Amino acid sequence: MSSSVLSAPMSSIGVPAEIKPDELRVALTPDGAKELVTQGLEVLVQEGAGYGAGINDEAFAIAGAQIVSRERAWSAHLIVKVKEPQEEEFQFLREDMLLFTYLHLAAYPKVAEALLKSKATALAYETVQLENGSLPLLAPMSEIAGRLAAQVGAHLLERPQGGRGVLIGGCTGVRPARVIVLGAGTVGWNAARLASAMDAEVMLLDRSPERLRNLEADRKGRLMSVVSSRGLIERLIPSADLLIGAVLSPGDRAPTLVDEEMVKQMKPNSVIVDVAIDQGGCVETSVETTHTHPTVNVHGVQHYAVGNMPGAVPFTSTEALVSVTLPYILGIAGRGLEAAITERPELLSGLNTIRGSICHPGVAKALDIPPRHPMACLN
């Protein structure tokens, strides 16, 4: 990507339709498109891109967007998506474009390879990080994924779904399900809260006593917070009816907290929901699944590891995503990447690839590729 393109405003924004299996979200809403058009920007929305989220082409057209072919949408200067490019989309990657989407390159090395080969500049929603460590563009999807994890887990515990036949909240005189949540970030806390609200017995584990202490004021129901350790996990795993993996290392692969031997110790027909699968998973036996075929059975334990969980509720997810990405899209398109980074320094941590280099240390570590400093990448 030339320095002139890096520094110049981007006059066109492309919104391709998502083609990842069962991905029904779209990266822009009509209201978002109208905001961009009002700023004098050209918005190119692929025909049918919003159908899965309940948004028709007419709504985008009324907002001022142009309804175009896939090729035309990908020809824009700034491409906004929801999920990482799929293999059939690699042909559209090029040096004079900026891709802004969820990438999770640690889990998808082929995507990283394609980005490096094309020399495309790619910003990842999930690595945009504020000074306080929060991840503003990942947070809404993490909130949704956490709530879905408890909801899906409760459903999978039902016998017709292959589960143990346990009602997550139990009933009078009968103990509820025991739910163990690994990680007290946005995903884990939302999973624990919802499971607790369904009257499950919940144990929320995290390595940070400070994080658990901060959550203590909002703790309700049968929810216990415990400082995590490997020994504790080993002791608790056999008692779980539902295990939710919710750990995150921004840009890097998720750590493996539950190995195969631990899974073998779990109750027959118990359930694992590995929300960390889009970063490689935190359970050794997890393999990525889809909404169409969401579970696999390993050692008698149901594993749910869908890589795009919020895609199950595309209307809610699309609205939530665009509410946080739109200010960044406006800044990048209206002022150019360099100026946008000056105004919003957290965008620098979102920079994953540029000119054939990896610019995020966590991503570089996961892919075993020497990184370049983000500022050096821009110069």
Side-chain angles (χ1 to χ4, degrees), residues 47 127 179 217 277:
E47 182 179 3
T127 62
V179 179
I277 194 64

Side-chain angles (χ1 to χ4, degrees), residues 161-178:
Q161 308 306 317
R164 299 190 62 238
V166 173
L167 180 64
I168 192 167
C171 68
T172 303
V174 181
R175 66 172 290 271
R178 169 170 280 195

Side-chain angles (χ1 to χ4, degrees), residues 321-339:
L321 177 62
V322 178
S323 72
V324 292
T325 59
L326 184 60
Y328 291 93
I329 295 169
L330 278 164
I332 294 168
R335 302 184 61 197
L337 181 59
E338 290 179 339

Side-chain angles (χ1 to χ4, degrees), residues 49-174:
Y51 285 175
I55 305 170
N56 58 36
D57 290 342
E58 183 181 7
F60 279 115
I62 291 172
Q66 299 176 41
I67 307 303
V68 300
S69 67
R70 177 171 74 160
E71 289 73 19
R72 180 79 175 101
W74 275 98
S75 71
H77 299 122
L78 172 61
I79 305 297
V80 292
K81 289 183 85 278
V82 177
K83 292 303 289 180
E84 73 284 347
Q86 304 300 291
E87 286 196 40
E88 68 179 86
E89 295 174 313
F90 291 174
Q91 62 181 307
F92 299 118
L93 301 176
R94 63 187 196 278
E95 188 172 1
D96 63 337
M97 65 175 282
L98 193 156
L99 175 65
F100 196 27
T101 187
Y102 288 117
L103 284 172
H104 297 290
L105 296 182
Y108 304 115
K110 285 186 178 180
V111 178
E113 185 179 318
L115 288 168
L116 294 176
K117 184 177 180 180
S118 68
K119 296 186 178 181
T121 297
L123 284 165
Y125 296 151
E126 74 275 6
T127 62
V128 173
Q129 191 166 18
L130 297 171
E131 285 188 8
N132 64 6
S134 64
L135 304 165
L137 304 189
L138 186 61
M141 296 303 101
S142 295
E143 183 178 344
I144 291 169
R147 296 182 184 193
L148 281 172
Q151 182 175 301
V152 166
H155 183 56
L156 291 176
L157 281 172
E158 297 170 8
R159 190 59 180 165
Q161 308 306 317
R164 299 190 62 238
V166 173
L167 180 64
I168 192 167
C171 68
T172 303
V174 181

Side-chain angles (χ1 to χ4, degrees), residues 3-348:
S3 58
S4 60
V5 177
L6 279 174
S7 57
M10 299 179 182
S11 60
S12 59
I13 298 98
V15 186
E18 299 297 324
I19 64 171
K20 184 166 184 166
D22 304 317
E23 181 52 72
L24 301 175
R25 290 172 287 180
V26 62
L28 199 64
T29 59
D31 285 345
K34 189 170 185 176
E35 286 285 330
L36 294 166
V37 171
T38 301
Q39 298 300 315
L41 300 165
E42 183 180 47
V43 179
L44 309 174
V45 178
Q46 183 180 336
E47 182 179 3
Y51 285 175
I55 305 170
N56 58 36
D57 290 342
E58 183 181 7
F60 279 115
I62 291 172
Q66 299 176 41
I67 307 303
V68 300
S69 67
R70 177 171 74 160
E71 289 73 19
R72 180 79 175 101
W74 275 98
S75 71
H77 299 122
L78 172 61
I79 305 297
V80 292
K81 289 183 85 278
V82 177
K83 292 303 289 180
E84 73 284 347
Q86 304 300 291
E87 286 196 40
E88 68 179 86
E89 295 174 313
F90 291 174
Q91 62 181 307
F92 299 118
L93 301 176
R94 63 187 196 278
E95 188 172 1
D96 63 337
M97 65 175 282
L98 193 156
L99 175 65
F100 196 27
T101 187
Y102 288 117
L103 284 172
H104 297 290
L105 296 182
Y108 304 115
K110 285 186 178 180
V111 178
E113 185 179 318
L115 288 168
L116 294 176
K117 184 177 180 180
S118 68
K119 296 186 178 181
T121 297
L123 284 165
Y125 296 151
E126 74 275 6
T127 62
V128 173
Q129 191 166 18
L130 297 171
E131 285 188 8
N132 64 6
S134 64
L135 304 165
L137 304 189
L138 186 61
M141 296 303 101
S142 295
E143 183 178 344
I144 291 169
R147 296 182 184 193
L148 281 172
Q151 182 175 301
V152 166
H155 183 56
L156 291 176
L157 281 172
E158 297 170 8
R159 190 59 180 165
Q161 308 306 317
R164 299 190 62 238
V166 173
L167 180 64
I168 192 167
C171 68
T172 303
V174 181
R175 66 172 290 271
R178 169 170 280 195
V179 179
I180 295 174
V181 181
L182 304 179
T186 304
V187 171
W189 176 236
N190 277 276
R193 280 179 59 193
L194 187 55
S196 176
M198 290 190 282
D199 285 337
E201 177 187 281
V202 183
M203 300 195 73
L204 177 63
L205 278 63
D206 197 277
R207 292 189 303 174
S208 170
E210 182 180 3
R211 171 62 178 166
L212 296 175
R213 193 173 295 114
N214 289 339
L215 296 174
E216 190 67 19
D218 294 321
R219 185 169 62 85
K220 294 181 177 68
R222 301 186 183 95
L223 196 163
M224 295 165 281
S225 59
V226 187
V227 177
S228 182
S229 67
R230 180 175 176 83
L232 180 63
I233 293 173
E234 288 178 346
R235 291 195 301 275
L236 288 178
I237 288 295
S239 70
D241 297 296
L242 169 60
L243 171 68
I244 297 175
V247 295
L248 174 68
S249 299
D252 201 352
R253 286 187 64 87
T256 300
L257 300 183
V258 179
D259 61 29
E260 186 169 5
E261 287 304 311
M262 294 184 201
V263 173
K264 289 178 180 179
Q265 300 302 313
M266 293 184 70
K267 300 172 184 177
N269 302 315
S270 55
V271 175
I272 292 173
V273 177
D274 194 346
V275 188
I277 194 64
D278 55 11
Q279 289 294 115
C282 63
V283 178
E284 186 178 14
T285 47
S286 292
V287 293
E288 186 170 355
T289 57
T290 66
H291 291 293
T292 303
H293 302 287
T295 62
V296 296
N297 192 294
V298 183
H299 300 309
V301 177
Q302 285 203 89
H303 290 57
Y304 177 101
V306 174
N308 57 331
M309 286 181 66
V313 286
F315 178 82
T316 300
S317 297
T318 293
E319 293 284 344
L321 177 62
V322 178
S323 72
V324 292
T325 59
L326 184 60
Y328 291 93
I329 295 169
L330 278 164
I332 294 168
R335 302 184 61 197
L337 181 59
E338 290 179 339
I341 287 174
T342 300
E343 183 177 298
R344 294 179 177 268
E346 64 269 23
L347 276 171
L348 195 61

